[in-house]
Amino acid sequence: MLEIKDLHVKIAEEGREILKGLTLTIPKGEVHAIMGPNGSGKSTLAYVLAGRDDYEVTSGDILWNGESILEMDPEERAAKGVFLAFQYPMEIPGVAGLTFLRTAANAVRKARGQEEMSTPDFMKFIREKAAKLNIDMEMLKRPVNVGFSGGEKKRSEILQMETLEPTMCVLDETDSGLDIDALKVVADGVNGMRSPERSMLVITHYQRLLNYIVPDKVHVMVAGKIQKSGGAELAEELEKSGYAEYQGQAA
């Protein structure tokens, strides 16, 4: 279970506070969505969960399965099961996708006390995962994300998520830049990972994504705090009325 308790976060260099007492709980087995306008702190929350060092937590705590992760490095958080799918996936020139995936998967497995996969076992494993996401194996021989379309980058991110088998998945505007066909493929991949032992946090501007990844709860985030929570129907309300009501409350 993810527990975020009265979290205050500022940008390390600027000193400007972004998250201003954010509290959120996501039980195991549930998918929660956060929606909000630009500048509300959604991506900041995703980066802080993953351990990006541009941000400073000034107070509050983040617990994953009862254990604080604030002092953990990103690789330690990954070993504990935390995964972030980026809004803008990075290109990694010179590193083939297959090499990247196998190295990352075995590093995480070793940290979790699991047996590392041999090359034949890994290739069988990755072929099955890639096929579900319509990813050609030739694509995985190319450098990670280099020359990929927006849809290919997002499918590559979901493949990474499936390969690392996290228990806390954070998807930061995964629908950004996707056409409807690519969105359906990505959503199918995400839905295929839903399980009683896995929590998911989906961050998005638009209700469209939530037609395909139906959340258990929706949270409205404005001015660095959760202003309202509700069921999936809340996303439909936001699509119609926008965020003006909540921006007024936060002022």
Side-chain angles (χ1 to χ4, degrees):
M1 180 167 70
L2 177 71
E3 298 173 272
I4 303 174
K5 299 182 176 182
D6 193 26
L7 192 67
H8 290 255
V9 174
K10 66 180 182 180
I11 299 175
E13 292 186 358
E14 298 178 16
R16 179 165 56 93
E17 190 174 47
I18 305 296
L19 302 183
K20 304 174 182 179
L22 187 143
T23 296
L24 177 67
T25 299
I26 306 179
K28 283 187 178 182
E30 291 193 5
V31 175
H32 287 211
I34 286 183
M35 301 181 70
N38 286 328
S40 59
K42 303 186 303 298
S43 289
T44 294
L45 174 61
Y47 291 143
V48 170
L49 286 170
R52 185 166 169 172
D53 58 10
D54 304 64
Y55 301 92
E56 180 183 341
V57 176
T58 56
S59 65
D61 206 351
I62 302 173
L63 304 179
W64 176 235
N65 293 331
E67 181 181 10
S68 177
I69 64 172
L70 286 184
E71 299 302 319
M72 295 181 186
D73 292 331
E75 58 269 28
E76 293 178 88
R77 299 183 192 205
K80 293 290 184 181
V82 178
F83 178 90
L84 170 61
F86 292 98
Q87 180 179 0
Y88 304 109
M90 292 178 60
E91 296 183 358
I92 310 179
V95 179
L98 284 171
T99 301
F100 173 77
L101 289 169
R102 186 185 173 204
T103 301
N106 278 337
V108 166
R109 291 174 71 88
K110 183 177 180 180
R112 294 173 183 166
Q114 300 171 336
E115 185 177 350
E116 296 182 37
M117 283 189 281
S118 66
T119 298
D121 287 344
F122 173 75
M123 292 304 295
K124 179 182 179 183
F125 171 85
I126 208 68
R127 281 194 184 97
E128 293 175 355
K129 301 288 187 184
K132 294 178 183 177
L133 291 166
N134 293 338
I135 293 177
D136 190 282
M137 291 300 291
E138 288 300 313
M139 176 177 152
L140 298 180
K141 295 177 183 178
R142 295 158 55 187
V144 177
N145 291 328
V146 176
F148 286 14
S149 68
E152 287 174 331
K153 286 182 178 181
K154 296 302 175 73
R155 282 185 283 143
S156 176
E157 286 277 282
I158 302 304
L159 179 60
Q160 291 172 35
M161 186 167 75
E162 293 205 14
T163 301
L164 297 179
E165 300 179 325
T167 50
M168 178 66 230
C169 305
V170 182
L171 295 96
D172 185 14
E173 298 194 31
T174 298
D175 51 330
S176 177
L178 295 184
D179 62 32
I180 194 65
D181 291 328
L183 179 63
K184 288 179 179 178
V185 171
V186 167
D188 285 347
V190 173
N191 286 327
M193 292 192 69
R194 295 177 84 146
S195 82
E197 295 302 313
R198 181 172 285 125
S199 305
M200 294 188 183
L201 176 60
V202 178
I203 297 169
T204 183
H205 279 297
Y206 305 110
Q207 190 258 338
R208 179 183 75 153
L209 175 64
L210 305 184
N211 288 332
Y212 300 99
I213 304 173
V214 180
D216 297 288
K217 282 191 176 180
V218 174
H219 308 278
V220 182
M221 186 173 179
V222 175
K225 296 179 74 172
I226 300 298
Q227 302 292 340
K228 185 176 180 178
S229 299
E233 69 281 354
L234 180 55
E236 298 176 10
E237 294 175 19
L238 291 169
E239 191 76 8
K240 296 174 183 176
S241 61
Y243 299 105
E245 172 190 350
Y246 305 103
Q247 289 171 316
Q249 292 175 4

